[in-house]
Amino acid sequence: MLNENIKVIRKSKGLSQEELAIKLNVVRQTVSKWEQGLSVPDSELLVALSEALETPVSTLLGETVTEPEPDSLKVISEKLEVINLQLAQLKAIRQKTLHWLFIALCVVTAAIFAGLLACGSPYLGWDYGDPETAVFGAAFHTFEWFFIRTAPFLLTGSIVGIVLTRKKT
């Protein structure tokens, strides 16, 4: 009878065996054994079990418990509320991360641009007779050419991203 009462009350409270086990600081298999009638909780665990299930010990031990019909709409709405809160938190974290990535992209683009301005295209004065200088000069020229053509789009895109992902109060 105890095993049936534990199972019925646990289910009526909307708890899984794992959740009940966590409340009681036992493993899930212990709760499973209680519900199967393979073992019984000791007196301390019985008191803790009654507190966790918000049910008197006498009800757990002797009175037959009928499974009440859960208010399905209430249960579903509570679960949806929890899911919505979790989704809102994930969205906020994602938005904050994107915001800082756009700021970093803007800063890196500006820093590279400033570095290229400070260098003043030094590859034009290099001796291309040396093979290593020629390869490095060609690579540097390719990078500079590509960067100068894409930097305005990167900078504009990152500024738009910063504005769109800012925290709205």
Side-chain angles (χ1 to χ4, degrees):
M1 186 174 288
L2 173 64
N3 59 335
E4 295 169 8
N5 289 345
I6 293 172
K7 187 174 186 176
V8 169
I9 294 170
R10 174 185 61 79
K11 286 185 175 183
S12 72
K13 299 289 183 180
L15 294 172
S16 66
Q17 288 182 344
E18 181 71 28
E19 292 168 333
L20 181 58
I22 289 171
K23 284 185 173 189
L24 298 172
N25 293 324
V26 297
V27 293
R28 185 200 56 80
Q29 290 81 358
T30 302
V31 176
S32 176
K33 286 181 181 179
W34 293 341
E35 291 182 357
Q36 293 174 12
L38 300 176
S39 68
V40 293
D42 62 15
S43 59
E44 290 177 13
L45 277 176
L46 191 60
V47 171
L49 182 62
S50 72
E51 290 172 359
L53 295 175
E54 299 170 348
T55 305
V57 175
S58 61
T59 302
L60 288 174
L61 290 176
E63 297 177 12
T64 304
V65 178
T66 58
E67 186 173 352
E69 290 293 320
D71 184 8
S72 59
L73 186 59
K74 181 180 178 186
V75 171
I76 291 172
S77 68
E78 288 174 354
K79 288 182 180 181
L80 285 175
E81 184 178 347
V82 169
I83 290 170
N84 282 337
L85 287 173
Q86 290 172 344
L87 288 174
Q89 289 172 343
L90 285 174
K91 183 179 177 183
I93 290 170
R94 197 173 319 136
Q95 183 177 359
K96 186 176 181 180
T97 303
L98 274 174
H99 183 74
W100 285 105
L101 283 174
F102 283 129
I103 289 173
L105 181 62
C106 188
V107 168
V108 167
T109 303
I112 291 173
F113 190 73
L116 289 174
L117 281 176
C119 288
S121 296
Y123 63 86
L124 294 176
W126 289 344
D127 176 22
Y128 285 97
D130 181 22
E132 290 178 10
T133 306
V135 170
F136 185 74
F140 187 79
H141 177 69
T142 303
F143 169 75
E144 185 179 37
W145 179 87
F146 181 74
F147 181 77
I148 294 300
R149 276 146 185 82
T150 59
F153 298 109
L154 287 174
L155 200 55
T156 304
S158 60
I159 290 171
V160 168
I162 290 169
V163 170
L164 293 177
T165 59
R166 74 184 185 286
K167 188 174 183 178
K168 297 172 180 110
T169 54

